[in-house]
Amino acid sequence: MGSIYEVYIDVLAVNNFLIDLAAFMAVNLFLRRRVRAYRILIGVILGTIGSCLAFLYFKNLAAYLLFVHFVLNPAALSLSFREKNRKAFIEDLLVGYFAFLIIGGAIEWIYKDGRGTIPYGTAAAAAVGMLILAVLWTRRYLKNRSRYYEAAVSSGSTTVRLYALADSGCLLHDPYTGRPVSMIDQKVFEASFGKPQAVRLIPYESLGCRHGLIQAVTVEELHYIYENKERCVKQAVLGLADHQLFEKKAYGMIINPQELAESKILQAEGEKAH
């Protein structure tokens, strides 16, 4: 004997509204679409009304689910975000459905583990809140990571790869060569290349230290990814900074912004030469 389920249309409407609203907000926040709230609400409300009408119309559950997932939800997303190209629309769909899956799983986990003590509406609201917090945290994390560059320092037959931060306050120059000086964690450098033999002392000033000297070395090449292109600096000058400067940081190097500017000029000249 098959099971018979009772579905209350008002519960279905509230459930769809909350989940769609959270998913659309996730798309807006994560992809930084900057769509106004009233446009999101219009898409969510029309999608909720459409899903309720479709539930009453379709007698077959599979047909209802296919209509909702492949026709109704994409149409509601398109109405809210009005993307001008296919790629952006597909991104909206992927993030939106990923959010649906997270919310559905979270509701199931909260509601089932509550063993009847947590109302379904509370579980749905808690899942929506968890999703929004996760999206905001992810956006903040990606924003911080976007400040870092993938870098590689090569000397002899050894190459060390690490993340680097471009710091506008790092404006140190080598008085001997006139080249900008980037900073690298001394501990990381020595662990990869050993104790440097040919070092020189470069005077510097910083907050809390009016006059100081830092050891500097010249490496064969410094590679890093900047503006989605790989840059290469020959005979790069690196200051060996105290490990405490990088402790508990996601990066182990600070690139002098003048290095970024010069590498762009060098690349432009190279392109003209070809």
Side-chain angles (χ1 to χ4, degrees), residues 14-24 100 103-104 107 120 124 128:
V14 171
N15 182 71
N16 286 352
F17 177 82
L18 286 174
I19 293 178
D20 287 358
L21 180 62
F24 281 34
F100 283 132
I103 296 171
I107 291 175
Y120 183 83
V128 169

Side-chain angles (χ1 to χ4, degrees), residues 4 7 15 23 40 42 54 83 93-94 106 134 210 269:
I4 299 176
V7 178
N15 182 71
I40 290 179
I42 289 174
E83 302 293 4
L93 278 178
L94 292 176
R210 291 188 57 81
E269 289 178 349

Side-chain angles (χ1 to χ4, degrees), residues 186 189-191 193-200 215-218 240:
Q186 183 174 3
F189 184 89
E190 292 181 354
F193 303 103
K195 287 278 187 180
Q197 300 300 317
V199 299
R200 54 189 180 277
Q215 289 185 336
V217 296
T218 299
L240 304 180

Side-chain angles (χ1 to χ4, degrees), residues 18-264:
L18 286 174
I19 293 178
D20 287 358
L21 180 62
F24 281 34
M25 287 175 65
V27 172
N28 203 33
L29 289 171
F30 188 78
L31 297 177
R32 301 182 182 181
R33 297 304 192 213
R34 298 181 180 178
V35 173
R36 294 187 177 182
Y38 78 88
R39 278 176 49 187
I40 290 179
L41 279 174
I42 289 174
V44 170
I45 290 171
L46 292 179
T48 300
I49 294 172
S51 67
C52 292
L53 293 176
F55 185 79
L56 295 174
Y57 176 78
F58 287 101
K59 304 303 179 183
N60 183 280
L61 180 60
Y64 165 75
L65 293 175
L66 287 172
F67 175 77
V68 168
H69 289 299
F70 290 97
V71 178
L72 191 60
N73 288 342
L77 268 172
S78 179
L79 181 64
S80 289
F81 292 93
R82 301 177 188 176
E83 302 293 4
K84 296 180 180 179
N85 59 73
R86 185 181 299 176
K87 179 183 176 182
F89 177 66
I90 292 174
E91 288 176 348
D92 292 348
L93 278 178
L94 292 176
V95 173
Y97 272 102
F98 185 67
F100 283 132
L101 291 174
I102 292 177
I103 296 171
I107 291 175
E108 188 78 7
W109 174 65
I110 295 171
Y111 183 62
K112 286 283 182 71
D113 283 3
R115 303 184 186 279
T117 60
I118 300 176
Y120 183 83
T122 303
V128 169
M130 289 168 60
L131 174 69
I132 298 302
L133 288 175
V135 169
L136 291 174
W137 181 88
T138 304
R139 248 188 68 176
R140 183 177 178 182
Y141 173 79
L142 293 176
K143 182 180 179 181
N144 289 336
R145 288 302 293 266
S146 67
R147 299 168 56 206
Y148 307 145
Y149 303 95
E150 295 178 23
V153 179
S154 299
S155 186
S157 60
T158 304
T159 298
V160 59
R161 301 183 182 278
L162 68 169
Y163 281 105
L165 172 72
D167 186 358
S168 59
C170 178
L171 301 175
L172 186 63
H173 278 73
D174 183 354
Y176 304 101
T177 63
R179 297 293 305 276
V181 179
S182 296
M183 299 292 182
I184 188 170
D185 186 337
Q186 183 174 3
K187 188 175 180 180
V188 171
F189 184 89
E190 292 181 354
S192 303
F193 303 103
K195 287 278 187 180
Q197 300 300 317
V199 299
R200 54 189 180 277
L201 297 177
I202 295 178
Y204 73 94
E205 292 185 6
S206 66
L207 186 65
C209 180
R210 291 188 57 81
H211 302 289
L213 294 171
I214 187 170
Q215 289 185 336
V217 296
T218 299
V219 295
E220 292 178 11
E221 290 182 342
L222 166 63
H223 290 260
Y224 56 90
I225 305 297
Y226 178 65
E227 294 182 344
N228 295 322
K229 294 181 181 179
E230 185 173 359
R231 316 284 174 150
C232 178
V233 182
K234 302 287 187 179
Q235 299 298 303
V237 181
L238 301 181
L240 304 180
D242 192 288
H243 174 66
Q244 290 183 352
L245 179 65
F246 299 96
E247 199 169 14
K248 297 182 180 179
K249 299 290 197 307
Y251 54 90
M253 184 176 181
I254 298 174
I255 295 182
N256 191 314
Q258 290 295 320
E259 202 78 85
L260 301 178
E262 289 191 14
S263 67
K264 289 173 69 177

